[in-house]
């Protein structure tokens, strides 16, 4: 649906067209209709999702359509924000989108002289954007009248709580009429935020949007649950099933790097290590071999692989989960360069599940699971050349002991 098709004032559509906003973003698509209807909204949305226009468009529309002459009867919409920067930014959005309407907005924040703010407030405004401290100060001295507020917006509520504004928010509530529309926006949600939100909204429409996916679209990435001691068998299987592909394997430490390289060596697979403990010259040699495809498997630590561009890496394997969530994005971004398609798989053990949850929190959405049934899991281990070797040596041992026993009996 395009903005042209929305039943909002033509004056707003003109501004949206000038801004080159043709279609609503996800959060706008979900929140504009309920806000226009006068419903309370509880939205989990990060900066960058278009959340400012998601509330500015319907609020400006409702105020503009009322055709009230003069605005001496008081502020109609109050936007509470945590910082001065955000206050200025939101004010600009209201100014730009409301440019051709009769809606007037203004912003107040602390740390600057209050006289010019008071003078502007006295002229009358429809929308006030403010940080809680300065607003409470001006309201308690009668410079801001909040008894005509119809719409209350709390933006970045989580940030406001972090900055310790909870008491100011509660105090300001006492100045506001009981009956009003409340729109609550937060980038994250936890028990404290939920408590605050539910104490402010009434039968709210709940909306959640994910931030823009930080992992490129051409990368297919998934997680499979593999126990720590079994990971080498799964890597072996992957390498054998994709013998012509370049595979970049990430591990946590240089010791792990060498250990995995040895494990691959035991099953007859050539792999090279790349870590910070190596001489520059050796690192360069290894990288060249991998680049040319003379070595297909490279086992690397995060730091050593940062910033290097290796073309045509078909697979990235997160053999260990990264300790820093953003490294997940850096690692999987090593495949699928440019227009190529890439695949990334993460081996997650039971003890790494917490790290996985953190990464998914960072990405704003779950990573696909590659479910493996028990048979498939145990077959991967059974078919390993390493376990065959073990099995052979077990058989040998068994045969040897049988021989010994037979010899003893003969005696
Ligand atoms: P916000 O999340 O409100 O900080 O907005 C993030 C960015 O998205 C801003 O630069 C906006 O100008 C832009 N934006 C918001 N809505 C739209 C839209 N419908 N189409 C294109 N850009 C948009």
């Amino acid at each position: 649906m395009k903005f042209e098709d929305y039943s909002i004032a033509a004056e707003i559509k003109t501004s949206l067209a000038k801004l080159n906003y043709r279609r609503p973003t996800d959060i706008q698509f979900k929140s504009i209709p309920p806000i226009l209807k006068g419903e309370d909204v509880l939205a989990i949305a990060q900066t960058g999702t278009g959340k400012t226009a998601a509330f500015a468009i319907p609020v400006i529309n409702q105020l503009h359509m009322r055709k009230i002459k003069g605005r001496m009867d008081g502020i109609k919409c109050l936007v509470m924000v945590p910082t001065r920067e955000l206050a200025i930014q939101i004010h600009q959005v209201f100014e730009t989108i409301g440019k051709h309407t009769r809606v007037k907005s203004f912003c107040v924040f602390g740390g600057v002289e209050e006289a010019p703010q008071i003078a502007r407030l006295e002229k009358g405004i429809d929308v006030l954007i403010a940080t809680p401290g300065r607003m409470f100060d001006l309201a308690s001295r009668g410079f801001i009248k909040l008894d005509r507020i119809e719409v209350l917006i709390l933006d970045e509520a989580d940030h406001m709580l972090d900055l310790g504004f909870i008491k100011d928010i509660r105090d300001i509530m006492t100045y506001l009429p009981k009956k009003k529309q409340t729109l609550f926006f937060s980038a994250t949600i936890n028990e404290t935020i939920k408590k605050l939100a539910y104490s402010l909204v009434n039968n709210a429409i709940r909306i959640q949007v994910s931030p823009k996916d930080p992992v490129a679209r051409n990368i297919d990435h998934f997680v499979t649950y593999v126990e720590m001691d079994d990971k080498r068998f799964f890597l072996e299987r992957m390498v054998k099933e994709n013998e012509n592909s370049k595979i970049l394997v990430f591990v946590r430490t240089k010791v792990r790097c060498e250990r995995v390289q040895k494990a691959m060596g035991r099953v007859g697979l050539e792999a090279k290590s790349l870590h910070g403990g190596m001489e520059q010259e050796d690192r360069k040699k290894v990288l060249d071999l991998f680049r040319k495809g003379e070595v297909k498997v490279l086992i690397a630590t995060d730091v050593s692989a940062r910033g290097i561009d290796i073309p045509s890496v078909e697979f990235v394997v997160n053999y260990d989960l990264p300790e820093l969530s953003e490294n997940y994005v850096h690692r999987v971004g090593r495949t699928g360069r440019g227009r190529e398609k890439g695949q990334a798989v993460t081996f997650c053990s039971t003890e790494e599940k917490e790290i996985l949850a953190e990464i998914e929190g960072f990405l704003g959405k779950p990573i696909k699971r590659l479910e493996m049934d028990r048979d498939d899991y145990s077959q991967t281990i059974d078919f390993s050349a390493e376990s065959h070797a073990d099995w052979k040596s077990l058989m040998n041992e068994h045969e040897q002991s049988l021989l010994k026993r037979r010899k003893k009996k003969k005696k």
Side-chain angles (χ1 to χ4, degrees), residues 3 20-21 23-25 28 46-53 89:
F3 278 125
N20 219 5
Y21 292 4
R23 290 171 191 281
T25 64
Q28 291 161 5
Q46 289 77 10
T47 300
T49 51
K51 66 181 168 64
T52 317
Q89 198 179 303

Side-chain angles (χ1 to χ4, degrees), residues 263-279:
M264 291 302 102
R266 279 202 300 276
V267 294
L269 296 174
E270 195 195 7
K272 291 279 180 206
S273 288
L274 184 75
H275 56 71
M278 290 161 66
E279 293 293 329

Side-chain angles (χ1 to χ4, degrees), residues 18 33 71 100 144 174 205 265 309 330 359:
K18 275 194 192 143
R71 49 180 60 84
H100 306 287
I144 296 179
T174 60
I205 305 286
D309 190 24
H330 295 307
I359 294 171

